[in-house]
Amino acid sequence: MNRHWRQLVILPMLIFLLVLPIQAFAAKKLIPMGEAIGIQLQLSHVFVAHDVLLASNQWMKGGAVIEKINDVPVKSLADAKQAVAKDGQQKWTINSGGQQITLELQDQEAEHVISFLKDETDGVGTLTYIDPETKNYGALGHQIVDSTLQEAPVFKAGSIFLASIQQIRKSTPGQPGYKISSIEKHQERLGSIDKNTIYGIFGRWEEGYQQRLPKAIEIMHEKDIKAGKAEIYTAIEGSKVESFTIEITKVENERLEFLVSDKKLIEKTGGILQGMSGSPIIQDGRFVGAVTHMFVEEPKKGAALTVAEMLRRSS
């Protein structure tokens, strides 16, 4: 009797242990997007966007930081505009290449210089995914680099907005094309930008999107991705997301390469464009990755990052 009793106790324990790991390793699902988004980063300082030659024959170099105007600290472009609204000669304190410089500007000259200042970085890319569990998003698949600073900028805050594609400049061998977009800032922002990393931008989805979200699908891990047919989701006209066929040609750890095979996409864009970064890649109904780069001399050829790696790097 004792032996039979022990068997009855042990069996339920074995069933319990077998069930737990199955629940713990449930497949991760993400919502694939593809919408064009406008990106806005509020910079930590006010910068000179381009080299400016002053009346004194001194140069105000691009990338210089405007620290003070008439000894009043400048924290935003609005501060600078308010300071130059006053008549008369003005004293500007700037930091250029780590060196503090004082410049004397007349009021009309100062108003001219204002048009060469900036306190934000703007751009256009593609929204990759939304995590339905955490309400976080990922986009681009690569880092935002400020054109003036030639590096990833330090920023105070950031936002993403829905963008609408107005025109396409086609890619040709040696000449990357691009999307000409308008940012729909009259709508609520879609989310915050909390991180700007080499794996993309990441932040909190704020549900300002006014359309129904697609269904979440299972992500595909690197070991399961194979060479062959797949799709990319992206917008090439207005804000409509479309599916286009590609052929995955190479898979290497968390990176992959592909060729655009869709005739409509080739006719419209020439292949991969600037602004497509972040476009989701789907294979066999599962979420593979995000477009990150194009090959300049072969615009039909692109590179991508796996969404599994993108997700790992988001935290």
Side-chain angles (χ1 to χ4, degrees):
M1 290 293 293
N2 288 341
R3 180 168 33 181
H4 293 163
W5 182 83
R6 282 197 296 269
Q7 288 175 337
L8 289 172
V9 171
I10 292 170
L11 186 57
M13 290 177 65
L14 288 173
I15 293 172
F16 179 71
L17 291 172
L18 287 171
V19 169
L20 274 182
I22 294 171
Q23 293 175 336
F25 292 95
K28 179 67 177 178
K29 291 186 176 182
L30 297 174
I31 301 171
M33 297 301 288
E35 279 77 359
I37 53 171
I39 298 157
Q40 183 185 72
L41 293 178
Q42 294 294 324
L43 301 177
S44 58
H45 298 90
V46 177
F47 293 91
V48 181
H50 306 283
D51 292 355
V52 183
L53 180 60
L54 304 176
S56 61
N57 285 324
Q58 292 176 285
W59 283 97
M60 189 178 285
K61 303 294 289 183
V65 175
I66 309 302
E67 294 187 337
K68 298 178 182 179
I69 299 178
N70 296 328
D71 293 324
V72 177
V74 173
K75 300 294 185 183
S76 67
L77 189 55
D79 291 342
K81 289 179 178 179
Q82 185 175 2
V84 303
K86 300 175 182 178
D87 295 334
Q89 193 176 52
Q90 297 174 11
K91 183 176 74 173
W92 288 47
T93 304
I94 70 171
N95 191 304
S96 183
Q99 182 181 3
Q100 194 174 74
I101 302 170
T102 300
L103 302 168
E104 300 288 341
L105 281 72
Q106 296 297 327
D107 54 354
Q108 288 186 339
E109 184 176 31
E111 289 176 6
H112 172 69
V113 169
I114 281 290
S115 63
F116 292 91
L117 303 185
K118 69 174 189 177
D119 64 356
E120 66 179 44
T121 289
D122 295 317
V124 175
T126 301
L127 182 61
T128 306
Y129 69 79
I130 299 169
D131 188 327
E133 295 177 1
T134 65
K135 301 302 181 184
N136 293 330
Y137 76 86
L140 295 190
H142 63 70
Q143 195 165 46
I144 299 171
V145 175
D146 182 84
S147 59
T148 299
L149 304 176
Q150 293 297 302
E151 62 183 16
V154 177
F155 64 99
K156 296 184 290 187
S159 302
I160 60 170
F161 299 87
L162 187 66
S164 179
I165 310 303
Q166 305 300 313
Q167 292 181 346
I168 292 290
R169 174 72 179 268
K170 289 179 67 171
S171 290
T172 57
Q175 187 64 49
Y178 51 87
K179 297 179 178 183
I180 301 172
S181 310
S182 62
I183 299 174
E184 300 182 4
K185 290 187 178 179
H186 61 279
Q187 297 190 20
E188 293 182 39
R189 74 174 188 170
L190 299 180
S192 62
I193 300 175
D194 301 329
K195 294 181 180 180
N196 176 28
T197 79
I198 61 173
Y199 298 93
I201 60 171
F202 304 97
R204 186 74 176 170
W205 181 255
E206 295 177 354
E207 300 184 359
Y209 190 58
Q210 296 175 1
Q211 300 180 39
R212 184 176 179 180
L213 291 174
K215 181 181 177 181
I217 60 175
E218 183 182 335
I219 69 171
M220 184 180 284
H221 292 278
E222 289 86 351
K223 64 181 179 61
D224 299 319
I225 303 170
K226 58 184 181 294
K229 188 174 291 187
E231 304 167 90
I232 62 170
Y233 295 169
T234 199
I236 59 172
E237 187 174 352
S239 56
K240 179 185 176 183
V241 176
E242 299 180 70
S243 171
F244 302 100
T245 57
I246 62 170
E247 194 81 14
I248 295 175
T249 57
K250 183 179 179 180
V251 181
E252 192 172 277
N253 298 322
E254 74 278 5
R255 301 284 174 179
L256 55 96
E257 295 177 8
F258 64 90
L259 288 172
V260 175
S261 55
D262 193 286
K263 291 182 179 179
K264 178 183 176 180
L265 187 60
I266 293 170
E267 175 65 26
K268 183 77 173 179
T269 68
I272 305 300
L273 297 166
Q274 296 180 56
M276 276 189 186
S277 296
S279 299
I281 297 176
I282 311 300
Q283 186 178 65
D284 296 333
R286 290 194 287 171
F287 202 155
V288 171
V291 176
T292 57
H293 297 85
M294 67 173 289
F295 288 76
V296 176
E297 298 300 329
E298 300 177 72
K300 295 177 188 175
K301 186 177 180 180
L305 173 72
T306 66
V307 75
E309 179 69 3
M310 197 172 171
L311 192 62
R312 284 192 289 266
R313 301 290 183 170
S314 67
S315 56

